[in-house]
Amino acid sequence: MFFHNSYFTTHFGNLFFCSKISIFSLFDHQKSPFRYTQISNYVNVYMKWKKDPFFDSILHIHKSAELKPIIQLKNFIVNYPNGCIPISAVSKRGLEFDISIRVARFLRQYPSVFEEFRGEHNLPWFRLTPEAAEIDREEKRVLEECKEDLKDRLQRFVLMSKDKVLPLKIIKGMAWYLGLPERFLDESKGDLLDESFRFVDMEDGLKGLTVESNGEKVLSTMQRNAMKNGVYFGGTLEGIEFPLFPSKGLRLRRKIESWLNEFQKLPYVSPYEDFWHLDPDSDFAEKRVVGMLHELLSLFVEHSAERKKLLCLKKYFGLPQKVHKAFERHPHMFYLSFKNKTCTAILKEAYCGNSSIEKHPVLVVRKKYIRLVKESDRILKNRRINSRFIKHEKLEKGSDIDADSDDRTDIQAQEVSKSFR
């Protein structure tokens, strides 16, 4: 049954279901590998956010923002002569390290990572603790071993952009999520100066990075996993469905589930293919947006990112103005966590069941840093207890001295009194 240009709205408690049904042809003789005619049932699903304690308790995701400036300071100290710094070297560089408090105070908050000592002119100096230095050596080894993998992730990140070129400032803003080490993008360092990457000048005076195509077709994480499972063989993109992981207690209404089932049956739209032939109001355009978000979070070593950072990519990745709504329309794929007064988008697939998305070695190292950082709380607590104990001892000793003094005063008074008798 077909309804032309019809609209209907149904209210289901906290769900609103809106559908526009239209016919369009999806084909482009030069760009599209297939010709496809489909009735589009585009659904806007507005759902009240539902808390999921499992995803809200993933420590390395919610400690990521705290860990980043710690790692930056750690790298600064390691690269300094003799591996130690005077506080004057960083005291006025808080904004550079994204630190909102005094840098000295920040360093002292993490005694398990940064060791303070008195240096020249009796000024405070800082160096890494032996435990932090050990993890730093492991991190360097992992980054060296993963260099080619990190290059591949960066290459895919650039190739997803609509013009296959991205400003360096955008890439540097996402470097933490991609797992790229500091100075990885420096032209003088030479890590990227090979046949696949090229630095270019962009409009508005921006410096950009582009990828030289070698003619090979780039496969997304979804396509590669489908090939492993025997669903995809490099031809038609039909049959590739997004893995869904409903949260406990989260139920979609029947009509929305029906739309989702039809949405899953549509041919997968690779984020590395041209998308200009897609109707922006169609389910195919929605499939492309969801595939783009899935691929982005798959490339990130933590498989998560602050939503506001992802929204900064709209201009260069050809994403719609309301791309954030895709997270709400697909709660079985993405989870939005509001811990730490920020909104973090998490790819459920990476943390549910036998995930086909492997844990990255860089993430393993970050978890070790987080465990070390947590030790700071115990050290500071012990310091406070010891400080109170010492203070209490001094007070008791002082009271004993006062008591002895009072006793001596009383004896002297008695002797004086006897002399006048």
Coordinates of all heavy atoms in Angstrom, one line a residue, residues 215-294:
G215 N 44.7 3.8 -6.0 CA 43.8 3.1 -6.9 C 43.0 2.0 -6.2 O 42.1 1.4 -6.7
E216 N 43.5 1.6 -5.0 CA 42.8 0.5 -4.3 C 41.5 1.0 -3.6 O 41.5 2.1 -3.1 CB 43.7 -0.1 -3.3 CG 45.0 -0.8 -3.9 CD 45.8 -1.5 -2.8 OE1 45.4 -1.5 -1.6 OE2 46.9 -1.9 -3.1
K217 N 40.5 0.1 -3.6 CA 39.3 0.4 -3.0 C 39.4 0.3 -1.5 O 40.0 -0.6 -1.0 CB 38.2 -0.5 -3.5 CG 36.8 -0.2 -2.9 CD 35.8 -1.2 -3.4 CE 34.4 -0.9 -2.8 NZ 33.3 -1.8 -3.4
V218 N 39.0 1.3 -0.8 CA 39.1 1.4 0.7 C 37.8 0.7 1.3 O 36.7 1.1 1.0 CB 39.2 2.8 1.2 CG1 39.4 2.8 2.8 CG2 40.4 3.5 0.6
L219 N 38.0 -0.3 2.1 CA 36.9 -1.0 2.8 C 36.7 -0.5 4.2 O 37.7 -0.3 4.9 CB 37.1 -2.5 2.8 CG 37.3 -3.2 1.4 CD1 37.5 -4.7 1.6 CD2 36.0 -3.0 0.6
S220 N 35.5 -0.3 4.6 CA 35.2 0.2 5.9 C 35.3 -1.0 6.9 O 35.4 -2.1 6.5 CB 33.8 0.8 6.0 OG 32.8 -0.2 5.7
T221 N 35.2 -0.7 8.2 CA 35.2 -1.7 9.2 C 34.0 -2.6 9.0 O 34.1 -3.8 9.2 CB 35.1 -1.1 10.6 OG1 36.3 -0.2 10.8 CG2 35.1 -2.1 11.7
M222 N 32.8 -2.1 8.7 CA 31.6 -2.9 8.4 C 31.9 -3.8 7.3 O 31.5 -5.0 7.4 CB 30.5 -1.9 8.1 CG 29.9 -1.2 9.3 SD 28.9 -2.3 10.4 CE 27.6 -2.9 9.2
Q223 N 32.5 -3.4 6.2 CA 32.7 -4.2 5.0 C 33.7 -5.3 5.4 O 33.5 -6.5 5.0 CB 33.2 -3.4 3.9 CG 32.1 -2.5 3.2 CD 32.7 -1.5 2.2 OE1 33.5 -0.7 2.6 NE2 32.3 -1.7 1.0
R224 N 34.8 -5.0 6.1 CA 35.8 -6.0 6.4 C 35.2 -7.1 7.3 O 35.5 -8.3 7.2 CB 37.0 -5.3 7.0 CG 37.8 -4.6 6.0 CD 39.1 -4.0 6.6 NE 38.8 -2.8 7.4 CZ 39.7 -2.1 8.1 NH1 40.9 -2.5 8.1 NH2 39.3 -1.1 8.9
N225 N 34.4 -6.6 8.3 CA 33.8 -7.6 9.2 C 32.8 -8.5 8.5 O 32.7 -9.7 8.8 CB 33.1 -6.9 10.4 CG 34.1 -6.3 11.3 OD1 35.3 -6.6 11.4 ND2 33.6 -5.3 12.1
A226 N 32.1 -7.9 7.5 CA 31.1 -8.7 6.7 C 31.8 -9.7 5.9 O 31.3 -10.8 5.7 CB 30.3 -7.7 5.8
M227 N 33.0 -9.4 5.4 CA 33.8 -10.3 4.6 C 34.3 -11.5 5.5 O 34.3 -12.6 5.1 CB 35.0 -9.6 4.0 CG 34.7 -8.6 2.9 SD 36.1 -7.9 2.1 CE 36.6 -9.2 1.0
K228 N 34.7 -11.2 6.7 CA 35.1 -12.2 7.7 C 34.0 -13.2 8.0 O 34.2 -14.4 8.1 CB 35.6 -11.6 9.0 CG 36.9 -10.8 8.8 CD 37.3 -10.2 10.2 CE 38.6 -9.4 10.1 NZ 39.0 -8.8 11.4
N229 N 32.8 -12.6 8.0 CA 31.6 -13.4 8.4 C 30.9 -14.1 7.2 O 29.9 -14.7 7.3 CB 30.6 -12.6 9.1 CG 31.1 -12.0 10.4 OD1 31.9 -12.7 11.1 ND2 30.6 -10.8 10.8
G230 N 31.5 -13.9 6.0 CA 31.0 -14.5 4.8 C 29.7 -13.9 4.2 O 29.0 -14.5 3.5
V231 N 29.5 -12.6 4.7 CA 28.3 -11.9 4.2 C 28.5 -11.0 3.0 O 27.7 -10.8 2.1 CB 27.7 -11.0 5.3 CG1 26.5 -10.3 4.9 CG2 27.3 -11.9 6.5
Y232 N 29.8 -10.6 2.9 CA 30.1 -9.6 1.8 C 31.4 -10.2 1.1 O 32.3 -10.7 1.7 CB 30.5 -8.3 2.4 CG 31.0 -7.2 1.4 CD1 30.2 -6.8 0.4 CD2 32.3 -6.7 1.6 CE1 30.7 -5.8 -0.5 CE2 32.8 -5.8 0.7 CZ 32.0 -5.3 -0.3 OH 32.5 -4.4 -1.2
F233 N 31.3 -10.1 -0.3 CA 32.4 -10.7 -1.1 C 33.0 -9.7 -2.0 O 33.6 -10.0 -3.0 CB 31.9 -11.9 -1.9 CG 31.3 -13.0 -1.0 CD1 29.9 -13.0 -0.8 CD2 32.1 -13.9 -0.4 CE1 29.3 -14.0 0.1 CE2 31.5 -14.9 0.5 CZ 30.2 -14.9 0.7
G234 N 32.8 -8.4 -1.7 CA 33.4 -7.3 -2.5 C 32.5 -6.8 -3.6 O 32.9 -5.9 -4.4
G235 N 31.3 -7.3 -3.8 CA 30.4 -6.8 -4.8 C 29.3 -5.9 -4.3 O 29.6 -4.9 -3.8
T236 N 28.1 -6.4 -4.4 CA 26.9 -5.6 -4.0 C 27.0 -5.4 -2.5 O 27.5 -6.2 -1.7 CB 25.6 -6.3 -4.4 OG1 24.5 -5.5 -3.8 CG2 25.5 -7.7 -3.9
L237 N 26.5 -4.2 -2.0 CA 26.5 -3.9 -0.6 C 25.3 -4.3 0.1 O 25.1 -3.9 1.3 CB 26.7 -2.4 -0.5 CG 28.1 -1.8 -1.0 CD1 28.1 -0.3 -1.0 CD2 29.3 -2.4 -0.3
E238 N 24.4 -5.0 -0.5 CA 23.2 -5.5 0.1 C 23.6 -6.6 1.1 O 24.5 -7.4 0.9 CB 22.2 -6.0 -0.9 CG 21.6 -4.9 -1.8 CD 20.6 -5.5 -2.8 OE1 19.8 -6.3 -2.4 OE2 20.6 -5.1 -3.9
G239 N 22.8 -6.8 2.2 CA 23.1 -7.8 3.1 C 24.0 -7.4 4.3 O 24.2 -8.2 5.2
I240 N 24.6 -6.2 4.2 CA 25.5 -5.7 5.3 C 24.6 -5.0 6.3 O 24.0 -3.9 5.9 CB 26.6 -4.8 4.8 CG1 27.5 -5.6 3.8 CG2 27.4 -4.3 5.9 CD1 28.6 -4.8 3.2
E241 N 24.4 -5.5 7.4 CA 23.5 -4.8 8.4 C 24.4 -4.4 9.6 O 25.3 -5.0 10.0 CB 22.4 -5.8 8.9 CG 21.5 -6.2 7.8 CD 20.4 -7.1 8.3 OE1 20.4 -7.4 9.6 OE2 19.5 -7.5 7.5
F242 N 23.9 -3.3 10.2 CA 24.6 -2.8 11.4 C 24.3 -3.7 12.6 O 23.2 -4.1 12.8 CB 24.1 -1.3 11.7 CG 24.5 -0.3 10.7 CD1 23.5 0.3 9.9 CD2 25.8 0.1 10.6 CE1 23.9 1.3 9.0 CE2 26.2 1.0 9.6 CZ 25.2 1.6 8.8
P243 N 25.3 -4.0 13.4 CA 25.1 -4.8 14.6 C 24.4 -4.0 15.6 O 24.7 -2.8 15.9 CB 26.5 -5.2 15.1 CG 27.4 -4.2 14.5 CD 26.8 -3.7 13.2
L244 N 23.3 -4.5 16.2 CA 22.5 -3.8 17.2 C 22.6 -4.4 18.6 O 22.7 -5.6 18.7 CB 21.0 -3.8 16.7 CG 20.7 -3.3 15.3 CD1 19.2 -3.4 15.1 CD2 21.2 -1.9 15.2
F245 N 22.7 -3.5 19.6 CA 22.9 -4.0 21.0 C 21.9 -3.1 21.9 O 22.3 -2.1 22.4 CB 24.3 -3.8 21.4 CG 25.3 -4.5 20.6 CD1 25.9 -3.9 19.5 CD2 25.6 -5.8 20.9 CE1 26.8 -4.6 18.7 CE2 26.5 -6.5 20.1 CZ 27.1 -5.9 19.0
P246 N 20.6 -3.6 22.0 CA 19.7 -2.9 22.8 C 20.1 -2.8 24.3 O 20.6 -3.8 24.8 CB 18.4 -3.6 22.6 CG 18.6 -4.5 21.4 CD 20.1 -4.8 21.3
S247 N 20.0 -1.7 24.9 CA 20.2 -1.6 26.3 C 19.1 -2.2 27.1 O 17.9 -2.3 26.6 CB 20.3 -0.1 26.7 OG 21.5 0.5 26.2
K248 N 19.4 -2.7 28.3 CA 18.4 -3.3 29.1 C 17.2 -2.4 29.4 O 17.4 -1.2 29.9 CB 19.0 -3.8 30.4 CG 18.1 -4.6 31.3 CD 18.8 -5.1 32.6 CE 17.9 -5.9 33.5 NZ 18.5 -6.4 34.7
G249 N 16.0 -2.8 29.2 CA 14.8 -2.0 29.4 C 14.5 -1.0 28.3 O 13.5 -0.3 28.4
L250 N 15.3 -1.0 27.3 CA 15.0 0.0 26.2 C 14.2 -0.8 25.1 O 14.7 -1.7 24.5 CB 16.3 0.5 25.5 CG 16.2 1.4 24.3 CD1 15.4 2.7 24.7 CD2 17.6 1.8 23.8
R251 N 13.0 -0.3 24.9 CA 12.1 -1.0 23.9 C 11.6 0.1 22.9 O 11.2 1.2 23.3 CB 10.9 -1.6 24.7 CG 11.3 -2.7 25.6 CD 11.7 -3.9 24.9 NE 12.1 -5.0 25.8 CZ 13.2 -5.2 26.3 NH1 14.2 -4.4 26.0 NH2 13.5 -6.3 27.2
L252 N 11.6 -0.3 21.7 CA 11.1 0.6 20.6 C 9.7 0.2 20.3 O 9.4 -1.0 20.3 CB 12.0 0.5 19.4 CG 13.5 0.9 19.5 CD1 14.2 0.8 18.1 CD2 13.6 2.3 20.0
R253 N 8.9 1.2 19.9 CA 7.5 0.9 19.5 C 7.5 0.1 18.2 O 8.5 0.1 17.4 CB 6.7 2.2 19.3 CG 6.5 2.9 20.7 CD 5.7 2.1 21.7 NE 5.6 2.9 22.9 CZ 4.8 2.4 23.9 NH1 4.3 1.2 23.9 NH2 4.7 3.2 25.0
R254 N 6.4 -0.6 18.0 CA 6.3 -1.6 16.9 C 6.6 -0.9 15.5 O 7.3 -1.4 14.7 CB 4.9 -2.2 16.8 CG 4.8 -3.2 15.7 CD 3.4 -3.9 15.8 NE 3.2 -4.5 17.1 CZ 2.0 -5.1 17.5 NH1 1.0 -5.0 16.6 NH2 1.9 -5.7 18.6
K255 N 6.0 0.3 15.3 CA 6.2 1.0 14.0 C 7.7 1.4 13.8 O 8.2 1.4 12.7 CB 5.3 2.2 13.9 CG 3.8 1.8 13.7 CD 2.9 3.0 13.5 CE 1.5 2.5 13.2 NZ 0.6 3.7 13.0
I256 N 8.3 1.8 14.9 CA 9.7 2.2 14.8 C 10.6 1.0 14.6 O 11.5 1.0 13.8 CB 10.1 2.9 16.1 CG1 9.3 4.2 16.3 CG2 11.6 3.3 16.1 CD1 9.6 5.0 17.5
E257 N 10.3 -0.1 15.2 CA 11.0 -1.4 15.0 C 10.8 -1.8 13.5 O 11.8 -2.3 12.9 CB 10.5 -2.5 15.9 CG 11.0 -2.3 17.3 CD 10.7 -3.5 18.2 OE1 9.8 -4.3 17.8 OE2 11.2 -3.6 19.3
S258 N 9.6 -1.6 13.0 CA 9.4 -2.0 11.6 C 10.2 -1.2 10.7 O 10.8 -1.7 9.7 CB 7.9 -1.8 11.3 OG 7.6 -2.1 9.9
W259 N 10.3 0.2 11.0 CA 11.1 1.0 10.1 C 12.6 0.6 10.2 O 13.3 0.6 9.3 CB 11.0 2.5 10.6 CG 12.1 3.3 10.0 CD1 12.1 3.9 8.7 CD2 13.3 3.8 10.6 NE1 13.2 4.6 8.5 CE2 14.0 4.5 9.7 CE3 13.8 3.6 11.9 CZ2 15.2 5.1 10.0 CZ3 15.1 4.1 12.2 CH2 15.8 4.9 11.2
L260 N 13.1 0.3 11.5 CA 14.4 -0.1 11.7 C 14.8 -1.4 10.9 O 15.9 -1.5 10.3 CB 14.7 -0.3 13.1 CG 16.1 -0.7 13.5 CD1 17.1 0.4 13.1 CD2 16.3 -0.9 15.0
N261 N 13.8 -2.3 10.9 CA 14.1 -3.6 10.1 C 14.2 -3.3 8.6 O 15.1 -3.9 7.9 CB 12.9 -4.5 10.3 CG 12.9 -5.1 11.8 OD1 14.0 -5.2 12.4 ND2 11.7 -5.5 12.3
E262 N 13.4 -2.4 8.1 CA 13.5 -2.0 6.7 C 14.8 -1.2 6.4 O 15.4 -1.4 5.4 CB 12.2 -1.2 6.3 CG 10.9 -2.0 6.3 CD 11.0 -3.1 5.3 OE1 11.5 -3.0 4.2 OE2 10.5 -4.2 5.7
F263 N 15.1 -0.4 7.4 CA 16.4 0.4 7.3 C 17.6 -0.6 7.2 O 18.5 -0.3 6.4 CB 16.5 1.3 8.5 CG 17.8 2.1 8.5 CD1 17.9 3.3 7.8 CD2 18.8 1.7 9.3 CE1 19.0 4.1 7.8 CE2 20.0 2.5 9.3 CZ 20.1 3.6 8.6
Q264 N 17.6 -1.6 8.0 CA 18.7 -2.6 8.0 C 18.8 -3.3 6.6 O 19.9 -3.7 6.2 CB 18.5 -3.6 9.1 CG 18.8 -3.1 10.5 CD 20.3 -3.0 10.8 OE1 21.0 -2.3 10.2 NE2 20.7 -3.8 11.8
K265 N 17.7 -3.5 5.9 CA 17.7 -4.2 4.7 C 18.2 -3.4 3.5 O 18.6 -3.9 2.5 CB 16.3 -4.7 4.4 CG 15.8 -5.8 5.4 CD 14.4 -6.2 5.1 CE 13.8 -7.2 6.1 NZ 12.4 -7.5 5.8
L266 N 18.3 -2.1 3.7 CA 18.8 -1.2 2.6 C 20.3 -1.5 2.3 O 21.0 -1.9 3.3 CB 18.6 0.3 3.0 CG 17.2 0.8 3.1 CD1 17.2 2.2 3.5 CD2 16.4 0.6 1.8
P267 N 20.7 -1.3 1.1 CA 22.2 -1.5 0.8 C 23.0 -0.6 1.7 O 22.7 0.6 1.9 CB 22.3 -1.2 -0.7 CG 20.9 -1.4 -1.2 CD 20.0 -1.1 -0.1
Y268 N 24.1 -1.1 2.2 CA 25.0 -0.3 3.0 C 25.7 0.7 2.1 O 26.0 0.5 1.0 CB 26.1 -1.3 3.6 CG 27.2 -0.6 4.3 CD1 27.1 0.0 5.6 CD2 28.5 -0.5 3.7 CE1 28.1 0.6 6.2 CE2 29.5 0.1 4.4 CZ 29.4 0.6 5.6 OH 30.4 1.2 6.3
V269 N 25.9 1.9 2.7 CA 26.5 3.0 2.0 C 27.9 3.3 2.6 O 28.0 3.7 3.8 CB 25.7 4.3 2.0 CG1 26.3 5.4 1.2 CG2 24.3 4.0 1.5
S270 N 28.9 3.0 1.9 CA 30.3 3.1 2.4 C 30.6 4.6 2.6 O 30.3 5.5 1.8 CB 31.3 2.5 1.5 OG 32.6 2.8 1.9
P271 N 31.3 5.0 3.8 CA 31.6 6.4 4.0 C 32.8 6.8 3.1 O 33.1 8.0 3.1 CB 32.1 6.4 5.5 CG 32.5 4.9 5.8 CD 31.6 4.1 4.9
Y272 N 33.4 5.9 2.4 CA 34.5 6.3 1.5 C 34.0 6.5 0.0 O 34.9 6.8 -0.8 CB 35.6 5.2 1.5 CG 36.1 4.9 2.9 CD1 35.8 3.9 3.7 CD2 37.0 5.9 3.5 CE1 36.3 3.7 4.9 CE2 37.5 5.7 4.7 CZ 37.2 4.6 5.5 OH 37.7 4.4 6.7
E273 N 32.7 6.3 -0.2 CA 32.2 6.5 -1.6 C 31.6 7.8 -1.7 O 31.2 8.5 -0.7 CB 31.2 5.4 -1.9 CG 31.7 4.0 -1.8 CD 32.7 3.6 -2.9 OE1 32.7 4.3 -3.9 OE2 33.5 2.7 -2.7
D274 N 31.5 8.3 -2.9 CA 30.8 9.6 -3.2 C 29.3 9.5 -2.8 O 28.7 8.4 -2.9 CB 30.9 10.0 -4.7 CG 32.3 10.4 -5.0 OD1 33.0 10.8 -4.2 OD2 32.6 10.3 -6.2
F275 N 28.7 10.6 -2.3 CA 27.4 10.6 -1.8 C 26.5 11.6 -2.4 O 25.4 11.8 -2.0 CB 27.4 10.7 -0.2 CG 28.0 12.0 0.2 CD1 27.2 13.1 0.4 CD2 29.4 12.1 0.4 CE1 27.8 14.3 0.9 CE2 30.0 13.3 0.9 CZ 29.2 14.4 1.1
W276 N 27.0 12.3 -3.4 CA 26.3 13.5 -4.0 C 24.9 13.0 -4.6 O 24.0 13.8 -4.8 CB 27.1 14.2 -5.0 CG 28.4 14.7 -4.4 CD1 29.7 14.2 -4.7 CD2 28.6 15.6 -3.4 NE1 30.6 14.8 -4.0 CE2 30.0 15.7 -3.2 CE3 27.8 16.5 -2.7 CZ2 30.6 16.6 -2.2 CZ3 28.3 17.4 -1.8 CH2 29.7 17.4 -1.5
H277 N 24.9 11.8 -5.0 CA 23.6 11.3 -5.7 C 22.5 10.9 -4.7 O 21.4 10.5 -5.2 CB 24.0 10.1 -6.6 CG 24.7 9.0 -5.8 ND1 26.0 9.1 -5.4 CD2 24.2 7.8 -5.4 CE1 26.3 8.0 -4.7 NE2 25.3 7.2 -4.7
L278 N 22.8 11.0 -3.4 CA 21.8 10.6 -2.5 C 20.8 11.7 -2.1 O 21.2 12.8 -1.9 CB 22.5 10.1 -1.2 CG 23.4 8.9 -1.3 CD1 24.1 8.6 0.1 CD2 22.7 7.7 -1.8
D279 N 19.5 11.4 -2.1 CA 18.5 12.3 -1.6 C 18.7 12.6 -0.1 O 18.7 11.6 0.7 CB 17.1 11.7 -1.9 CG 16.0 12.6 -1.5 OD1 16.3 13.7 -0.8 OD2 14.9 12.4 -1.9
P280 N 19.0 13.8 0.3 CA 19.3 14.1 1.7 C 18.2 13.8 2.6 O 18.4 13.7 3.8 CB 19.6 15.6 1.7 CG 19.0 16.2 0.4 CD 19.1 15.1 -0.6
D281 N 16.9 13.6 2.1 CA 15.8 13.3 2.9 C 15.4 11.8 2.9 O 14.3 11.5 3.2 CB 14.6 14.2 2.5 CG 14.8 15.6 2.8 OD1 15.4 15.9 3.9 OD2 14.3 16.5 2.1
S282 N 16.3 11.0 2.4 CA 16.0 9.6 2.2 C 16.7 8.7 3.3 O 17.6 9.2 4.0 CB 16.5 9.1 0.8 OG 17.9 9.1 0.8
D283 N 16.2 7.5 3.4 CA 16.8 6.6 4.3 C 18.3 6.2 3.8 O 19.1 5.8 4.7 CB 16.0 5.3 4.4 CG 14.8 5.5 5.2 OD1 14.7 6.5 5.9 OD2 13.9 4.6 5.3
F284 N 18.5 6.3 2.5 CA 19.9 6.1 2.1 C 20.9 7.1 2.6 O 22.0 6.8 3.0 CB 19.9 6.1 0.5 CG 19.5 4.8 -0.1 CD1 18.2 4.6 -0.6 CD2 20.3 3.7 -0.2 CE1 17.8 3.5 -1.1 CE2 19.9 2.5 -0.7 CZ 18.6 2.4 -1.2
A285 N 20.5 8.4 2.6 CA 21.3 9.4 3.2 C 21.5 9.1 4.7 O 22.6 9.3 5.3 CB 20.7 10.8 3.0
E286 N 20.4 8.7 5.4 CA 20.6 8.3 6.8 C 21.5 7.1 7.0 O 22.3 7.1 7.9 CB 19.2 7.9 7.3 CG 19.2 7.4 8.8 CD 19.2 8.5 9.8 OE1 19.4 9.6 9.4 OE2 19.1 8.1 11.0
K287 N 21.5 6.2 6.0 CA 22.4 5.0 6.1 C 23.8 5.4 6.0 O 24.7 4.9 6.6 CB 22.0 4.0 5.0 CG 22.6 2.6 5.1 CD 21.7 1.6 5.7 CE 22.2 0.3 5.7 NZ 21.2 -0.8 6.1
R288 N 24.0 6.4 5.1 CA 25.4 6.9 4.9 C 25.9 7.6 6.2 O 27.0 7.5 6.6 CB 25.4 7.9 3.7 CG 26.8 8.4 3.4 CD 26.9 9.9 3.7 NE 28.3 10.4 3.6 CZ 28.6 11.6 4.0 NH1 27.8 12.4 4.4 NH2 29.9 11.9 3.9
V289 N 25.0 8.5 6.8 CA 25.4 9.2 8.0 C 25.7 8.2 9.2 O 26.7 8.3 9.8 CB 24.3 10.1 8.5 CG1 24.5 10.7 9.9 CG2 24.1 11.3 7.5
V290 N 24.9 7.2 9.3 CA 25.1 6.2 10.4 C 26.4 5.4 10.1 O 27.2 5.1 11.0 CB 23.9 5.2 10.5 CG1 24.2 4.1 11.5 CG2 22.7 6.0 11.0
G291 N 26.6 5.1 8.8 CA 27.9 4.4 8.5 C 29.1 5.2 8.7 O 30.1 4.7 9.1
M292 N 29.0 6.5 8.5 CA 30.1 7.5 8.8 C 30.4 7.5 10.2 O 31.6 7.4 10.7 CB 29.7 8.8 8.2 CG 30.7 9.9 8.6 SD 32.2 9.9 7.5 CE 31.5 10.4 6.0
L293 N 29.4 7.7 11.1 CA 29.6 7.7 12.5 C 30.2 6.4 13.1 O 31.0 6.4 13.9 CB 28.3 8.0 13.2 CG 27.7 9.4 12.9 CD1 26.3 9.6 13.6 CD2 28.6 10.5 13.4
H294 N 29.7 5.3 12.5 CA 30.2 4.0 12.9 C 31.6 3.8 12.6 O 32.5 3.4 13.4 CB 29.3 2.9 12.2 CG 29.8 1.5 12.6 ND1 30.9 0.9 12.1 CD2 29.2 0.6 13.5 CE1 31.0 -0.4 12.6 NE2 30.0 -0.5 13.5

